[in-house]
C-alpha cells in the first residue's frame, strides 16, 4: 500500500502508521494528511477525520467510509467504486472526475462540493444533500436520488438517464442541456429550475412542481405531466403537444 504523508500539524502520525500497517483506522485523525495516490482498497475508515486531506487519485474501492469527514478534501480522480459512504461529509470537497460508480452515499453531505464530470452511475444517493454542488457534466445514469436535495446545484450538461428522482428537491437548480430522459421525477420540486435545452424524453413528471421554472424550448413529447404544476411564464417555444396530461 502506497502512502505518502507530508509533515503537517493536523493529522496523527500514530494513526497514519496504523492505517499503513493494518488498512484499518476507524475514527482516526488524518486531517490535512497527504495521501496522494494511496492504495486504500477495502480500507476501514469509518468515522475517520480526513478534512482537507489530499487523496488525489487515491484508490478507495470498496472501502468502509461511513460517517467519515472529507470536508474541503482534495479527491480529484479518486476511486470510490462500491465504497460505503453512508453519512459521510464532503462539504466543499473536490471530487472532480472521481469514480463513485455503485457507491452507497445515502444521506451523505455533498453541499458545495465540486463534482465536475464525476461518475455516479448506479450509485445510491438517497436523501443526500447536494445543495450548491457543481455537477456539471456528471454521469448520474440509473442513479438512486430519491429525496436528494439539489437546491441551487449546477447540473448543466449532466446525464441523469433513468435516474430515480422521486421527491427530489431541485428548486432553483441549473438543468440546462441536462439529459433527463426516462427519469422518474414524480413529486419532485423543480420550482424556479432552469431546464432550457433539457432532454425529457419519456420522463415521468407526474405531480411535479414546475412553478416559475424556465421551460423555454423544452420538448415535453411523451412526458407524463399528470397533476404537475406548470404555473410559469417561461414556456416560450416549449413543445407541449404529445405530453400526457390529466389534470394540472
Amino acid at each position: 500500500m502506497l502512502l505518502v504523508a507530508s509533515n503537517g500539524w493536523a493529522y496523527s502520525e500514530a494513526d497514519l502508521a496504523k492505517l499503513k500497517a493494518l488498512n484499518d483506522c476507524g475514527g482516526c485523525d488524518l486531517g490535512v494528511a497527504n495521501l496522494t495516490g494511496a492504495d486504500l482498497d477495502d480500507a476501514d475508515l469509518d468515522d475517520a477525520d480526513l478534512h482537507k486531506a489530499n487523496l488525489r487519485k487515491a484508490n478507495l474501492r470498496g472501502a468502509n467510509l461511513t460517517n467519515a469527514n472529507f470536508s474541503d478534501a482534495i479527491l480529484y480522480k479518486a476511486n470510490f467504486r462500491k465504497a460505503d459512504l453512508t453519512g459521510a461529509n464532503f462539504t466543499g470537497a473536490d471530487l472532480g472526475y472521481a469514480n463513485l460508480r455503485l457507491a452507497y452515499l445515502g444521506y451523505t453531505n455533498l453541499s458545495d462540493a465540486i463534482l465536475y464530470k464525476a461518475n455516479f452511475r448506479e450509485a445510491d444517493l438517497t436523501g443526500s444533500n447536494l445543495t450548491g454542488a457543481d455537477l456539471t457534466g456528471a454521469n448520474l445514469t440509473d442513479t438512486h436520488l430519491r429525496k436528494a436535495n439539489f437546491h441551487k446545484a449546477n447540473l448543466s450538461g449532466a446525464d441523469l438517464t433513468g435516474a430515480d428522482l422521486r421527491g427530489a428537491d431541485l428548486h432553483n437548480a441549473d438543468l440546462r442541456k441536462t439529459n433527463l430522459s426516462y427519469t422518474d421525477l414524480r413529486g419532485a420540486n423543480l420550482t424556479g429550475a432552469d431546464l432550457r435545452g433539457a432532454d425529457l424524453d419519456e420522463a415521468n413528471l407526474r405531480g411535479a412542481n414546475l412553478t416559475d421554472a424556465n421551460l423555454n424550448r423544452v420538448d415535453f413529447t411523451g412526458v407524463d405531466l399528470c397533476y404537475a404544476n406548470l404555473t410559469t411564464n417561461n414556456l416560450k417555444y416549449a413543445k407541449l403537444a404529445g405530453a400526457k396530461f390529466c389534470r394540472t
Side-chain angles (χ1 to χ4, degrees), residues 25-30 44-50 64-70 86-88:
C25 210
C28 285
D29 180 3
L30 298 163
D44 190 348
L45 286 159
D46 63 303
D47 292 303
D49 183 4
L50 290 141
N64 176 13
L65 300 160
T66 55
N67 298 313
N69 179 14
F70 288 99
T86 308

Side-chain angles (χ1 to χ4, degrees), residues 79-181:
N79 181 15
F80 289 97
R81 184 182 171 97
K82 293 186 177 181
D84 187 351
L85 295 150
T86 308
N89 180 12
F90 287 95
T91 305
D94 182 356
L95 286 140
Y97 291 96
N99 180 13
L100 294 124
R101 184 171 183 178
L102 294 167
Y104 186 76
L105 297 110
Y107 304 97
T108 298
N109 187 354
L110 289 152
S111 57
D112 297 315
I114 299 170
L115 301 161
Y116 179 80
K117 291 195 174 182
N119 181 10
F120 287 95
R121 186 181 178 93
E122 299 175 285
D124 191 338
L125 289 99
T126 301
S128 289
N129 180 10
L130 294 111
T131 303
D134 182 1
L135 289 141
T136 307
N139 182 356
L140 292 143
T141 57
D142 298 318
T143 302
H144 301 281
L145 299 162
R146 192 169 184 176
K147 294 186 177 179
N149 185 358
F150 289 96
H151 174 51
K152 290 188 177 180
N154 185 352
L155 288 145
S156 58
D159 188 355
L160 289 98
T161 304
D164 183 356
L165 286 149
R166 284 175 291 172
D169 186 353
L170 292 138
H171 77 282
N172 293 323
D174 186 346
L175 294 157
R176 288 174 298 167
K177 297 184 178 179
T178 299
N179 188 349
L180 292 160
S181 57

